[in-house]
Amino acid sequence: MRSRTPDRLCAEAVEVALSAVEEAFGPDVVGEHLGVVAEGDRVVTHLFDCRQPAYRGWHWAVTLTRASRAKSITLDETVLLPGDDSVLAPEWVPWSERLRPGDMGPGDLLPTEAEDLRLEPGWIGDSDYPVSDPLSDLLDADEIEVPPATPPAVGTIGAVAEEIGMGRPRVLSRYGLHVAADRWEEDYGPKTPMAQAAPANCVTCAFLVPMAGSLRQAFGVCANEFSPADGRVVSLAYGCGGHSEAAVMPKPLRPPPPVLDETAVEALPLHPDRHASVEESTPAEELGHS
């Protein structure tokens, strides 16, 4: 049972503990003596302040002990420990929980667990059902060589499934479909500000490309290059200002071609020649006078 009272000889050996930590880490990083803590029978830990700027709130812990009925002090260990107000690194999180969309790059491999809740077998009844290995032992390797896929044996369910176009060993489960739907609706769903201000929904838009499978009942792909959702999976209840029927522009009116009036009529001079009319009337006048 641990003794609450520090051993007297070990507690009085402050100089022994101080010299031990100064010898190990240097006198410049060791501060004043903070006290002693009883770790057990004839086992005492001396605490010293740490002066390193990067370890604010930390302290040096030097553990001393002695044998029963012995007066000589023995050094057990010297460590640096955090205090109540010290700066600590965040708690370690597994890589599978730290991974975020967009983190994968060229050459990266993302293994899936054999019992992934998002997936389910593409067919059942085959004893040689293939599953993807976690590849956890290969993640730290510099070069990862993925072995080639072995085709299913002739006559097995896997061979028949591949022949009729169902060659995927695993497909999305109902849980995987719901998770994907919730994720897609978060960015391009009916509750987004863009959809709230849209004149109509995507279900009536000509730029919506329907999806295959059961998800086509609620989602499609936007094909409008001017839309913020171009090339993205959108909910049928989503919408934006680029809706095909939001504001249909009428065709501009074309003026009729000009009509040239070519009616055949006798041309009348605007200014007749008076001298010609006088000469034509002279012979008649002469005949009258004669």
Side-chain angles (χ1 to χ4, degrees):
M1 184 176 180
R2 179 181 297 182
S3 175
R4 296 184 178 180
T5 303
D7 181 76
R8 183 179 61 84
L9 294 180
C10 293
E12 293 176 353
V14 179
E15 295 298 330
V16 177
L18 179 61
S19 61
V21 69
E22 288 181 347
E23 181 181 357
F25 303 99
D28 297 335
V29 298
V30 183
E32 60 181 358
H33 186 257
L34 301 178
V36 295
V37 177
E39 303 289 352
D41 295 339
R42 298 179 299 279
V43 180
V44 173
T45 298
H46 291 263
L47 305 178
F48 297 91
D49 184 29
C50 179
R51 293 182 178 177
Q52 286 186 345
Y55 290 89
R56 179 178 57 85
W58 292 59
H59 56 266
W60 300 102
V62 183
T63 302
L64 304 178
T65 184
R66 68 182 181 90
S68 178
R69 298 181 181 180
K71 296 184 179 181
S72 59
I73 305 300
T74 302
L75 175 64
D76 190 359
E77 64 176 356
T78 303
V79 295
L80 181 63
L81 299 177
D84 296 336
D85 58 344
S86 59
V87 179
L88 301 177
E91 185 179 357
W92 183 82
V93 180
W95 70 267
S96 57
E97 300 179 14
R98 298 195 308 266
L99 191 65
R100 292 295 179 266
D103 290 348
M104 292 188 61
D108 295 340
L109 294 180
L110 179 59
T112 56
E113 299 180 1
E115 301 297 333
D116 196 323
L117 296 178
R118 301 169 300 174
L119 307 176
E120 63 183 10
W123 63 84
I124 58 176
D126 197 341
S127 59
D128 298 331
Y129 166 69
V131 295
S132 59
D133 296 331
L135 299 178
S136 57
D137 55 337
L138 300 178
L139 291 179
D140 297 332
D142 296 335
E143 297 182 0
I144 301 178
E145 296 183 0
V146 180
T150 303
V154 178
T156 60
I157 297 180
V160 176
E162 184 175 356
E163 184 178 354
I164 63 177
M166 300 176 57
R168 293 185 298 169
R170 290 192 292 179
V171 296
L172 279 175
S173 62
R174 183 175 295 274
Y175 171 75
L177 292 173
H178 281 288
V179 170
D182 293 340
R183 185 174 63 253
W184 294 340
E185 276 201 345
E186 184 177 354
D187 296 331
Y188 298 98
K191 297 182 180 180
T192 58
M194 182 67 72
Q196 295 291 332
N201 296 331
C202 293
V203 67
T204 58
C205 183
F207 295 107
L208 181 75
V209 179
M211 297 181 62
S214 58
L215 287 176
R216 69 175 298 151
Q217 302 176 9
F219 296 95
V221 180
C222 178
N224 188 352
E225 59 179 326
F226 300 106
S227 172
D230 180 37
R232 305 296 184 90
V233 177
V234 296
S235 170
L236 298 183
Y238 180 73
C240 68
H243 194 281
S244 61
E245 312 304 323
V248 181
M249 299 177 60
K251 289 185 178 182
L253 297 177
R254 292 185 177 181
V259 178
L260 181 60
D261 189 1
E262 297 182 349
T263 304
V265 295
E266 184 179 356
L268 298 176
L270 297 178
H271 303 286
D273 191 357
R274 296 179 180 179
H275 297 285
S277 61
V278 172
E279 293 178 354
E280 294 176 355
S281 60
T282 299
E285 294 177 354
E286 294 179 352
L287 293 173
H289 289 289
S290 60

